[in-house]
Amino acid sequence: MVNNKKSENVLSLAIVHSRAQVGIRALPVTIEVHLTNGLPALSIVGLPETAVKESKDRVRSALLNSQFEFPLQRITINLAPADLPKEGGRFDLAIALGILAASRQIPMDELEHYEFIGELALSGELRPVRGILPAALEARNVERSLVVPANNAAEAGMVSQVTIFPANTLLEVCEHLHKQTTITSFYREKTPNFIINNRYQIDLSDVRGQHHAKRALEVAAAGGHNLLMVGPPGTGKTMLASRLPTILPEMTEAEALETATILSIANCGFMPEKWGQRPFRTPHHTASAVALVGGGSHPRPGEISLAHNGVLFLDELPEFDRRVLEVLREPLELGAITISRAAHQAEFPANFQLITAMNPCPCGHLGDSNHRCTCSLEQIRRYRAKISGPLLDRIDLYIEVPNFSRALLKNEFNRETSKTVRERVIAARQIQLQRFNKHNSALNNREVEQACQLSENDEKLLDRAIEQLGLSARAWYRILKVARTIADLESSEQIKTPHLTEAITYRRLSDK
């Protein structure tokens, strides 16, 4: 009799695999469901949060509405590991299948080969959840198939070499496990490689005039440098910034997966049609520090992470709160942001290219030949003081975007297209990858000293410029990086005097 009871208890234990979302990681979670005799009850243990605790009501209704029996026994559900917080409705499907397997309504042996993620409606339908892309990546690593809601299938299908089973209802999944009907799966041998050259509706040739600004934009794209544009309203600063992604090289598969993974866990969600397209984020100047770098009780990525492998454009830079801008300093250096909370710690990548724009004064017309500036010197000083020196020190290129005549707009022809400029940028990036396998703006000080050697006369030229402009040691290295990029654009092995001179001009603005 004792042995029979032990055997019955063992058969009443089911194990189902799923994944929790922690930052951009999808950590494995094992759902253990045990049925025992006693008063009917259902308890969930393993640090479940409110949405997970509420799953017992969703699961019960979904099982009954799918024509299954809900066991009238004591049901204990353990979400292991016990010290990992669990949130959201992503475990509903796995919990429901665990109950069905423990009560012998579906075969238990089939569960080992799958991972299940999905929220259940009371009717038994499957609803989409966030964070499917990182879950698909991890499922591939452990060689399990992934069952997801049908609305998440396109996102999960971006990952190659993993079998995806998109399901609409709980009943579909159970019939598939029973082998009564089979869910149509899909499997990609290779991640899709979209050609993005023609996917942009804008082009650099749309910009008339501003040859100096377009040249600086090309240098910024070639070396991954940060850029500050200063000029009156209506001179094309936003127009130039929005066209930077059109001249950047196409993303590698690894970069596309990283970017898509961040979007997958964010509130905005990932759109498969934007796969491989570099993000361009433009937060409003009223954005808070948390909106910019991420945060919350359950850490979510901010704008700097949503711009990972792409461009973060801050228009009207002095209008941002100074304390908000200061949080950019560390991510600009490290390419990542760590968000710590009492119960959570999450690290998000933030390797973005910062493009900023501002007016020269509060009214915007200082130095504008077409309009008269009405600002006092004190107003101009306070306006510019909103941007700290340490933040400006981390920006590689400063350029002016002046006003110009309407006649120039009408008479300019043969403007370069984004495709033409992109070809030069890609050639320069290839030189940089062969040198240190990274773009120039990411070089450390030792690598700069190796790659950016100057002649004796050029060293004296740079020393005089640093002294006259009152620049820091960080600015010294940044000038060398920009000069190296300009030389790479001309396929020059050595940094020559014209390359260095142009790089120095990008570190100062005119006295006017």
Side-chain angles (χ1 to χ4, degrees):
M1 290 292 293
V2 175
N3 290 337
N4 289 339
K5 287 183 179 180
K6 285 184 178 180
S7 175
E8 185 178 344
N9 286 337
V10 170
L11 290 175
S12 299
L13 175 66
I15 295 176
V16 186
H17 301 285
S18 187
R19 292 198 174 267
Q21 177 197 319
V22 180
I24 62 169
R25 297 178 298 167
L27 299 181
V29 172
T30 302
I31 290 88
E32 301 171 335
V33 181
H34 189 211
L35 304 186
T36 57
N37 294 326
L39 293 176
L42 190 154
S43 61
I44 302 177
V45 296
L47 279 186
E49 299 192 355
T50 303
V52 182
K53 291 178 181 178
E54 292 173 347
S55 68
K56 59 185 180 181
D57 297 316
R58 292 193 297 272
V59 167
R60 185 177 184 277
S61 294
L63 290 176
L64 294 175
N65 288 323
S66 299
Q67 308 304 314
F68 290 105
E69 292 183 7
F70 190 81
L72 297 178
Q73 295 174 276
R74 182 172 183 81
I75 306 172
T76 304
I77 300 172
N78 179 39
L79 308 179
D83 59 348
L84 177 68
K86 323 297 188 307
E87 61 169 327
R90 59 194 300 114
F91 304 109
D92 288 3
L93 176 59
I95 289 173
L97 294 174
I99 293 173
L100 292 175
S103 60
R104 306 179 195 178
Q105 297 183 65
I106 61 172
M108 196 176 298
D109 297 339
E110 293 295 320
L111 298 176
E112 177 61 28
H113 309 296
Y114 299 90
E115 293 186 359
F116 302 90
I117 296 177
E119 179 182 329
L120 283 174
L122 300 185
S123 62
E125 294 181 354
L126 287 177
R127 288 176 173 162
V129 297
R130 285 198 303 260
I132 285 294
L133 198 59
L137 287 168
E138 295 298 333
R140 178 180 67 181
N141 294 339
V142 297
E143 298 182 348
R144 287 198 186 102
S145 301
L146 183 63
V147 179
V148 299
N151 289 340
N152 284 131
E155 179 182 332
M158 306 309 293
V159 180
S160 62
Q161 299 180 352
V162 60
T163 304
I164 305 298
F165 290 94
N168 291 295
T169 64
L170 171 63
L171 190 58
E172 273 188 29
V173 178
C174 294
E175 289 176 345
H176 175 80
L177 295 174
H178 267 296
K179 298 184 179 179
Q180 295 174 350
T181 60
T182 302
I183 298 175
T184 303
S185 65
F186 56 87
Y187 176 94
R188 293 186 191 271
E189 190 64 38
K190 187 177 180 182
T191 300
N193 183 23
F194 294 120
I195 299 175
I196 69 168
N197 297 356
N198 299 321
R199 293 172 62 199
Y200 293 102
Q201 302 300 316
I202 55 179
D203 194 271
L204 193 61
S205 61
D206 301 333
V207 182
R208 293 176 180 265
Q210 304 298 5
H211 301 291
H212 178 62
K214 286 191 277 191
R215 167 64 176 174
L217 203 68
E218 179 180 344
V219 173
H225 301 291
N226 303 322
L227 172 67
L228 168 65
M229 294 182 285
V230 181
T235 55
K237 300 186 295 294
T238 302
M239 194 175 186
L240 284 161
S242 64
R243 280 147 181 82
L244 177 59
T246 69
I247 64 173
L248 290 172
E250 296 179 12
M251 283 201 284
T252 64
E253 180 179 341
E255 288 176 333
L257 280 173
E258 285 178 352
T259 300
T261 298
I262 296 170
L263 294 173
S264 175
I265 66 173
N267 292 331
C268 57
F270 169 69
M271 291 182 283
E273 62 271 16
K274 290 193 174 182
W275 171 266
Q277 190 171 348
R278 292 189 183 274
F280 181 78
R281 305 293 300 184
T282 57
H284 192 260
H285 58 76
T286 57
S288 65
V290 171
L292 211 58
V293 301
S297 56
H298 301 290
R300 290 280 185 268
E303 291 290 338
I304 62 173
S305 295
L306 296 175
H308 181 59
N309 292 321
V311 178
L312 177 67
F313 177 50
L314 301 184
D315 199 6
E316 306 293 347
L317 187 64
E319 301 299 334
F320 283 82
D321 188 278
R322 178 164 177 158
R323 290 171 296 180
V324 172
L325 293 178
E326 292 305 298
V327 301
L328 293 174
R329 287 159 55 177
E330 287 186 8
L332 282 172
E333 294 287 340
L334 303 177
I337 181 71
T338 300
I339 300 170
S340 298
R341 295 292 181 265
H344 300 274
Q345 186 179 62
E347 180 175 316
F348 298 105
N351 184 20
F352 59 94
Q353 193 166 349
L354 178 65
I355 307 298
T356 60
M358 60 179 284
N359 295 327
C361 65
C363 77
H365 299 301
L366 180 65
D368 186 357
S369 58
N370 298 332
H371 299 84
R372 179 176 176 272
C373 177
T374 59
C375 304
S376 67
L377 290 177
E378 180 60 23
Q379 287 175 320
I380 296 172
R381 187 195 66 78
R382 286 200 305 267
Y383 179 75
R384 295 185 177 181
K386 293 180 181 180
I387 309 170
S388 70
L391 178 61
L392 284 175
D393 219 21
R394 288 167 168 82
I395 297 178
D396 302 330
L397 297 90
Y398 309 153
I399 60 167
E400 290 186 67
V401 187
N403 230 327
F404 46 86
S405 66
R406 188 171 299 176
L408 180 62
L409 293 177
K410 296 180 179 179
N411 298 329
E412 187 188 14
F413 302 100
N414 299 323
R415 297 183 299 275
E416 284 191 312
T417 64
S418 292
K419 181 180 179 181
T420 302
V421 178
R422 188 192 308 114
E423 290 172 354
R424 294 198 297 265
V425 168
I426 292 173
R429 286 277 184 112
Q430 289 298 324
I431 295 173
Q432 297 165 37
L433 292 176
Q434 291 172 6
R435 185 184 296 123
F436 285 116
N437 199 30
K438 62 176 76 170
H439 52 68
N440 287 336
S441 69
L443 298 179
N444 58 41
N445 292 351
R446 181 178 299 177
E447 292 166 340
V448 170
E449 292 170 0
Q450 294 178 20
C452 306
Q453 296 181 0
L454 302 177
S455 66
E456 184 177 349
N457 290 335
D458 286 344
E459 284 187 1
K460 293 179 181 178
L461 172 63
L462 180 56
D463 289 341
R464 288 197 303 270
I466 293 293
E467 183 178 353
Q468 292 175 5
L469 297 176
L471 301 179
S472 66
R474 180 187 286 117
W476 186 82
Y477 280 105
R478 290 187 179 274
I479 289 175
L480 287 177
K481 293 178 184 179
V482 174
R484 180 68 266 173
T485 299
I486 296 170
D488 290 338
L489 281 167
E490 296 185 3
S491 301
S492 174
E493 293 185 6
Q494 297 295 325
I495 297 176
K496 300 177 182 178
T497 303
H499 306 148
L500 181 61
T501 303
E502 183 180 353
I504 293 173
T505 63
Y506 291 133
R507 289 301 302 186
R508 69 185 299 273
L509 299 171
S510 67
D511 294 334
K512 70 181 180 180

